[in-house]
């Protein structure tokens, strides 16, 4: 196969390009439809690359576009090395890489390594019998003597994590849908095949990977039951509260120590390309600890994100500081990637019931935090969660737990580009999910013409971060809370920047640390005046100041 030649960014001599980067997540099915079939595609992403570049982001992360039966919308892969016709072709992907690189934007793709579709050729072979060449490429196990599943492990999508297969008279494991069988990472041949997949895309020009469910790769080889989780320790960070998945301490179906050696193998494949990875750590109890383990040193993953800021409750000043301090403690040698929204959770504008001013403050906060940043398409428009009727729901997760949990479609509705038609400029056909009516007046075109729109604030906040290396790369200290104010100091190469954020509707005051500080960020609406060392912060106001060096 001839690979298209894409312009290369300088990853080889700038292997730390990911550190402090701002990454923009694209859910291609809902970004831009180029052919009128109602489904976004790769050519649509190319079409919108000038807009993406206008945001000032460093990289894009594209959610799965591989060949798939789409039972979980691309997270059930039947061919890792091809593009599903719904999204286009490999040449369309090459066009994305070329367009992005020409705009100075790196390309990260979403690799789903923990499981495949049941329609993958590997599984078709594996399920034939117990003697074929791929008989142990998936997690197969005999039933208990009474015919019940081999362990008490549960699926995130509801019910047991085991599906009976009459051909082999065994159960196979699935952490998600029954049509998503888990690969057996204890088999080195499986690891080798997945590393070949990574190599395929690296050679095609990608700059890195978002690794879906990175802590789910290995299972306990002894097939031990998970213990119960005390009721006071349960939370709905990973799965909704109506899901019994929250009733277990997931010691044996994920989070296994054997994963570290595989991640080292993956890093060694990426290293010659200067590629970087961000891992999704899905664990309600030990997410930050796992983040620390998986990003420690120089031979594992560069970045991971946990779910502390993807949780239901609005982060208080105390929680922000608690999380940042815990990362300092458990991931002192690692690197976090922060996100407030993505394709799996309710949009944070609705989840936290934020006003526009509050959204702007949180946008400024995430751009000032130590770590890298992921933004989700439409977040920069301040889009709220869409209310999708049950008759329009596509997500199997929502169908299973409706109405207590409505699934993930509300954050996956199409991007709105213009107000002039009911499809928001997304498609000339009927969109796969309806465009939310309340989104239309928040379209890109509408906001471009409004100097006070949140879109412009996001652009300014991203530029503010990128023109000040201390915010992207620096250390932090003096993490403090005073009522609803969270504050910290960033340091790099003798420069210091002080940040304070009022995360409330109530005015408050902030006392500057010792020293002389020059206010910054007027373009972000930051407070520019002080009375001595005292800063008055109105509701949702921010102070950022640079220390004067003598």
């Amino acid at each position: 196969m001839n690979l298209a030649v894409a312009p290369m960014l300088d990853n080889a001599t700038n292997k730390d390009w990911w550190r402090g980067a701002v990454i923009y997540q694209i859910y291609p099915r809902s970004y831009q439809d180029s052919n009128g079939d109602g489904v976004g595609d790769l050519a649509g992403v190319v079409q919108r690359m000038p807009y993406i570049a206008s945001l000032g982001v460093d990289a894009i992360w594209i959610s799965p576009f591989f060949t798939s039966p789409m039972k979980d919308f691309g997270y059930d892969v039947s061919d890792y090395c091809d593009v599903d016709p719904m999204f286009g072709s490999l040449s369309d992907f090459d066009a994305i890489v070329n367009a992005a690189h020409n705009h100075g934007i790196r390309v990260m793709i979403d690799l789903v390594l923990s499981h495949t579709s049941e329609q993958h050729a590997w599984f078709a072979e594996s399920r034939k019998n117990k003697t074929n060449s791929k008989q142990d490429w998936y997690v197969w196990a005999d039933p208990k003597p009474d015919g019940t599943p081999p362990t008490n492990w549960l699926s995130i999508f509801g019910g047991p994590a085991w599906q009976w297969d009459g051909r082999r008279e065994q159960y196979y494991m699935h952490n998600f849908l029954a049509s998503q069988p888990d690969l057996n990472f204890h088999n080195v041949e499986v690891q080798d095949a997945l590393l070949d997949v990574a190599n395929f895309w690296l050679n095609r020009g990608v700059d890195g990977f978002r690794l879906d469910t990175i802590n789910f790769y290995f299972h306990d080889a002894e097939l031990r039951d998970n213990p119960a989780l005390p009721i006071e320790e349960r939370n709905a960070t990973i799965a909704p509260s109506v899901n019994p998945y929250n009733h277990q301490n997931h010691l044996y179906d994920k989070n296994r120590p054997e994963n570290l050696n595989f991640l080292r193998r993956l890093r060694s494949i990426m290293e010659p390309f200067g590629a970087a990875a961000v891992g999704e750590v899905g664990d309600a109890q030990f997410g930050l600890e796992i983040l620390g383990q998986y990003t420690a040193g120089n031979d594992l993953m560069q970045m991971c994100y946990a779910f502390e800021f993807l949780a239901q409750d609005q982060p208080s000043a105390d929680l922000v500081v608690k999380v940042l301090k815990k990362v300092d403690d458990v991931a002192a040698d690692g690197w976090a990637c922060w996100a407030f929204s993505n394709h799996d959770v309710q949009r944070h504008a609705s989840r936290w019931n934020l006003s526009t001013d509050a959204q702007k403050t949180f946008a400024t906060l995430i751009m000032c935090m130590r770590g890298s940043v992921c933004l989700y398409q439409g977040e920069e428009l301040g889009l709220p969660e869409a209310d999708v009727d049950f008759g329009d729901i596509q997500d199997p997760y929502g169908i299973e737990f409706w109405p207590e949990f409505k699934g993930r479609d509300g954050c996956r509705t199409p991007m709105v580009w213009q107000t002039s038609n009911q499809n928001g400029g997304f498609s000339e056909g009927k969109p796969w999910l309806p465009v939310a009516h309340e989104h239309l007046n928040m379209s890109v075109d509408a906001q471009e013409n409004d100097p006070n729109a949140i879109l412009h604030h996001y652009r300014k906040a991203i530029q503010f971060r990128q023109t000040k290396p201390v915010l992207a790369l620096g250390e932090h200290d003096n993490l403090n809370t005073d009522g609803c104010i969270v504050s910290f100091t960033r340091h790099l190469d003798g420069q210091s920047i002080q940040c304070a954020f009022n995360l409330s509707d109530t005015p408050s005051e902030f006392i500057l640390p010792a020293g002389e500080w020059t206010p910054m960020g007027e373009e972000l609406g930051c407070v520019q005046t002080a009375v001595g060392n005292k800063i008055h912060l109105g509701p949702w106001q921010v102070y950022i100041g640079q220390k004067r060096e003598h």
Side-chain angles (χ1 to χ4, degrees):
M1 182 180 295
N2 294 323
L3 302 186
V5 177
M8 294 299 294
L9 298 177
D10 188 17
N11 294 346
T13 58
N14 183 23
K15 291 188 175 182
D16 280 348
W17 63 263
W18 51 270
R19 195 179 291 272
V22 179
I23 303 164
Y24 183 69
Q25 182 192 354
I26 294 172
Y27 193 71
R29 173 183 287 269
S30 296
Y31 203 61
Q32 178 66 62
D33 172 21
S34 70
N35 60 10
D37 67 356
V39 178
D41 45 47
L42 299 186
V45 176
V46 174
Q47 177 183 333
R48 295 299 182 180
M49 196 63 68
Y51 167 78
I52 297 166
S54 79
L55 298 175
V57 298
D58 300 287
I60 55 174
W61 144 29
I62 309 174
S63 290
F65 50 83
F66 315 108
T67 310
S68 167
M70 299 293 165
K71 293 183 180 179
D72 191 22
F73 301 102
Y75 285 88
D76 49 328
V77 179
S78 56
D79 187 344
Y80 283 110
C81 296
D82 205 354
V83 174
D84 193 277
M86 175 184 297
F87 296 122
S89 64
L90 282 169
S91 63
D92 291 319
F93 178 78
D94 295 336
I96 285 181
V97 174
N98 275 278
H101 285 180
N102 281 326
H103 282 92
I105 298 169
R106 291 175 168 86
V107 178
M108 307 178 77
I109 65 172
D110 205 329
L111 277 189
V112 188
L113 301 182
S114 66
H115 53 268
T116 71
S117 164
E118 64 180 350
Q119 296 184 25
H120 197 292
W122 297 346
F123 189 69
E125 179 69 18
S126 186
R127 76 188 316 182
K128 284 180 179 178
N129 52 53
K130 299 178 184 179
T131 58
N132 68 80
S133 62
K134 292 182 172 55
Q135 56 85 20
D136 63 345
W137 276 45
Y138 292 82
V139 183
W140 294 98
D142 292 327
K144 290 180 178 178
D146 62 359
T148 55
T151 70
N152 69 346
W153 302 346
L154 297 173
S155 163
I156 283 186
F157 284 173
W162 296 98
Q163 178 69 27
W164 178 252
D165 187 272
R167 298 173 221 191
R168 290 185 49 144
E169 296 187 17
Q170 286 183 305
Y171 285 96
Y172 65 83
M173 180 186 174
H174 60 94
N175 274 301
F176 299 93
L177 294 175
S179 57
Q180 294 171 294
D182 273 63
L183 286 159
N184 177 20
F185 277 72
H186 292 284
N187 184 332
V188 176
E189 290 182 352
V190 171
Q191 296 187 30
D192 292 344
L194 294 172
L195 294 176
D196 286 345
V197 169
N199 248 326
F200 174 87
W201 291 105
L202 290 166
N203 280 303
R204 203 152 198 114
V206 305
D207 303 286
F209 306 110
R210 183 264 190 181
L211 298 171
D212 185 63
T213 60
I214 190 174
N215 55 317
F216 283 70
Y217 293 168
F218 279 83
H219 67 286
D220 176 47
E222 298 179 36
L223 298 181
R224 288 172 282 187
D225 281 348
N226 284 328
L229 189 67
I231 194 168
E232 64 273 10
E233 295 181 27
R234 298 175 192 168
N235 67 66
T237 302
I238 305 302
S241 59
V242 294
N243 190 341
Y245 188 85
N246 294 307
H247 294 207
Q248 290 186 357
N249 187 357
H250 293 272
L251 298 179
Y252 299 117
D253 51 350
K254 61 182 181 180
N255 305 335
R256 303 303 300 157
E258 299 95 327
N259 203 20
L260 292 172
N261 284 334
F262 172 75
L263 296 181
R264 291 187 179 97
R265 295 193 69 198
L266 178 57
R267 177 67 178 265
S268 71
I269 294 292
M270 297 162 52
E271 198 66 16
F273 296 89
V278 53
E280 175 201 29
V281 177
D283 191 82
Q285 277 70 50
F286 304 107
L288 293 177
E289 287 85 351
I290 296 167
L291 180 157
Q293 292 171 19
Y294 287 7
T295 62
N298 295 315
D299 62 347
L300 292 164
M301 299 297 94
Q302 287 87 352
M303 306 170 279
C304 281
Y305 70 85
F307 281 69
E308 274 66 19
F309 295 137
L310 293 168
Q312 185 64 35
D313 294 336
Q314 177 186 314
S316 63
D318 286 341
L319 178 65
V320 172
V321 169
K322 178 181 177 181
V323 170
L324 294 179
K325 285 184 175 181
K326 187 166 185 179
V327 169
D328 287 347
D329 182 39
V330 301
D333 193 29
W335 195 258
C337 187
W338 303 113
F340 294 153
S341 285
N342 68 18
H343 65 292
D344 279 334
V345 298
Q346 187 182 29
R347 288 185 177 276
H348 74 275
S350 296
R351 197 168 79 243
W352 300 340
N353 192 27
L354 300 179
S355 65
T356 300
D357 286 344
Q359 290 182 65
K360 290 179 178 180
T361 295
F362 274 108
T364 305
L365 171 62
I366 202 170
M367 294 301 163
C368 292
M369 287 163 53
R370 181 177 184 267
S372 299
V373 176
C374 276
L375 303 178
Y376 178 51
Q377 66 180 53
E379 177 178 344
E380 76 275 17
L381 303 179
L383 297 185
E385 184 82 350
D387 187 13
V388 181
D389 291 339
F390 182 74
D392 292 320
I393 286 288
Q394 305 289 321
D395 183 13
Y397 207 179
I399 293 169
E400 175 70 21
F401 289 105
W402 183 280
E404 288 77 16
F405 174 65
K406 296 185 177 181
R408 301 163 295 178
D409 288 336
C411 67
R412 297 177 175 183
T413 57
M415 185 76 170
V416 282
W417 299 101
Q418 58 194 54
T419 309
S420 60
N421 67 67
Q422 63 181 1
N423 293 342
F426 164 72
S427 176
E428 294 181 359
K430 181 182 178 182
W432 76 284
L433 280 176
V435 173
H437 181 74
E438 65 270 26
H439 288 182
L440 291 176
N441 290 329
M442 306 174 75
S443 71
V444 171
D445 283 357
Q447 296 202 31
E448 293 284 14
N449 297 319
D450 178 1
N452 296 315
I454 193 169
L455 171 59
H456 299 299
H457 183 87
Y458 267 86
R459 285 183 175 136
K460 292 171 185 176
I462 293 168
Q463 182 182 34
F464 188 79
R465 175 186 181 88
Q466 295 189 331
T467 56
K468 295 163 183 63
V470 62
L471 293 180
L473 304 172
E475 299 298 321
H476 63 196
D477 60 14
N478 298 326
L479 281 81
N480 292 303
T481 60
D482 183 1
C484 294
I485 294 178
V486 57
S487 62
F488 48 78
T489 312
R490 303 295 308 277
H491 304 280
L492 181 70
D493 297 335
Q495 291 190 333
S496 298
I497 288 182
Q498 178 64 42
C499 305
F501 306 84
N502 183 1
L503 302 185
S504 78
D505 294 318
T506 304
S508 192
E509 290 183 340
F510 170 69
I511 305 300
L512 282 165
E516 296 181 39
W517 300 87
T518 301
M520 310 168 70
E522 185 174 9
E523 69 274 25
L524 300 177
C526 296
V527 173
Q528 300 295 300
T529 58
V531 179
N533 66 345
K534 187 179 295 185
I535 306 292
H536 176 80
L537 292 178
W540 297 105
Q541 280 197 313
V542 178
Y543 173 83
I544 302 175
Q546 184 167 357
K547 195 169 189 178
R548 299 175 193 166
E549 305 296 336
H550 296 285

